[in-house]
Amino acid sequence: QVQLVQSGAEVKKPGASVKVSCKTSGYTFIAYYIHWVRQAPGQGLEWMGWINPNTGATNYAQKFQGRVTMTRDMSITTAYMEVTRLTSDDTAVFFCARDEGGRGIDYWGQGTLVTVSS
Amino acid sequence: QSVLTQPPSASGTPGQRVTISCSGSSSNIGTNTVNWYQQLPGMAPKLLIYKNNQRPSGVPDRFSGSKSGTSASLAISGLQSDDEADYYCAAWDNSLNAPWVFGGGTKLTVL
């Protein structure tokens, strides 16, 4: 079965960076884009960007350009998202999600809570 | 400020039918298909509807979706207490540097 398993919760200080991993299984990793979505406490879903696991090509939301980097390691079917220069506004749950193409985003990781606090 | 507009809340009693609306524009719902997601408290979103009105396997037929012009709707019939959750619409957007856009979410309360 399709699974996306994310790394555990993180606590970071303002100005630091965080790197979240998304380990996939149950499907052909390079065949489906991976998206990253942010959800601040009590708020809605916000699209951050996607990565094409086959080519490594990325597309970031304008809001996050320059501060977010998405990468992947095909050998271990894992995608990563790094956010730099964290502020308290970045306190949120970050989700990775698979894009099936025809069906759009279908499977989601369980989410990773990143808390930014001094 | 979400690109797609949803009512912040909706409610119904067990057995009732409720609908949740999602309003967009010509660059998203007007030209692309709509997905709906259910998010239970503390959980990841789950795909409920794709391509406007298609249900993934395992999603009960109590859930249905429709689209007309630049708006879409999710209908839930035979409301159950387990349906209490946040519901989000989503669509591709052709105009922004944010291909996937979401609604702000609708919190459904089962009274």
Side-chain angles (χ1 to χ4, degrees):
Chain A
Q1 72 282 23
V2 174
Q3 286 192 309
L4 292 82
V5 179
Q6 299 182 222
S7 48
E10 303 258 16
V11 179
K12 297 292 183 180
K13 293 194 181 304
S17 301
V18 68
K19 190 171 186 177
V20 179
S21 67
C22 174
K23 166 67 177 171
T24 72
S25 61
Y27 71 97
T28 303
F29 178 65
I30 60 172
Y32 303 91
Y33 284 26
I34 293 287
H35 296 261
W36 289 88
V37 175
R38 183 174 81 169
Q39 186 170 37
Q43 302 301 307
L45 304 171
E46 181 177 29
W47 182 82
M48 300 179 69
W50 56 247
I51 181 168
N52 178 340
N54 187 35
T55 65
T58 54
N59 182 16
Y60 305 135
Q62 192 166 14
K63 175 177 183 177
F64 297 103
Q65 283 180 3
R67 216 163 59 89
V68 166
T69 304
M70 297 176 187
T71 57
R72 90 295 188 210
D73 185 334
M74 290 185 289
S75 68
I76 55 172
T77 65
T78 298
Y80 302 90
M81 184 197 60
E82 182 175 28
V83 185
T84 61
R85 304 192 305 276
L86 291 166
T87 72
S88 57
D89 288 344
D90 291 312
T91 293
V93 175
F94 293 83
F95 294 100
C96 63
R98 187 187 83 157
D99 189 329
E100 192 271 351
R103 301 198 311 178
I105 292 176
D106 57 356
Y107 287 91
W108 297 68
Q110 83 277 20
T112 297
L113 174 62
V114 175
T115 302
V116 183
S117 173
S118 56
Chain B
Q1 204 82 357
S2 300
V3 174
L4 305 180
T5 301
Q6 297 180 235
S9 64
S11 63
T13 56
Q16 262 191 334
R17 181 178 188 270
V18 297
T19 60
I20 298 171
S21 62
C22 175
S23 176
S25 68
S26 58
S27 65
N28 41 66
I29 294 178
T31 51
N32 299 305
T33 60
V34 178
N35 282 12
W36 288 91
Y37 299 91
Q38 177 193 60
Q39 187 177 32
L40 297 171
M43 303 292 286
K46 169 191 169 185
L47 180 63
L48 267 187
I49 297 288
Y50 66 96
K51 286 187 177 179
N52 304 327
N53 55 19
Q54 302 299 301
R55 282 186 308 276
S57 61
V59 174
D61 59 7
R62 300 187 298 107
F63 295 90
S64 61
S66 64
K67 187 184 101 167
S68 178
T70 58
S71 294
S73 291
L74 173 71
I76 308 171
S77 60
L79 201 59
Q80 301 176 1
S81 57
D82 289 350
D83 297 332
E84 189 157 294
D86 293 324
Y87 293 84
Y88 293 90
C89 58
W92 280 96
D93 192 297
N94 300 333
S95 68
L96 304 174
N97 184 30
W100 267 97
V101 290
F102 292 94
T106 298
K107 180 171 182 57
L108 175 63
T109 301
V110 181
L111 302 170

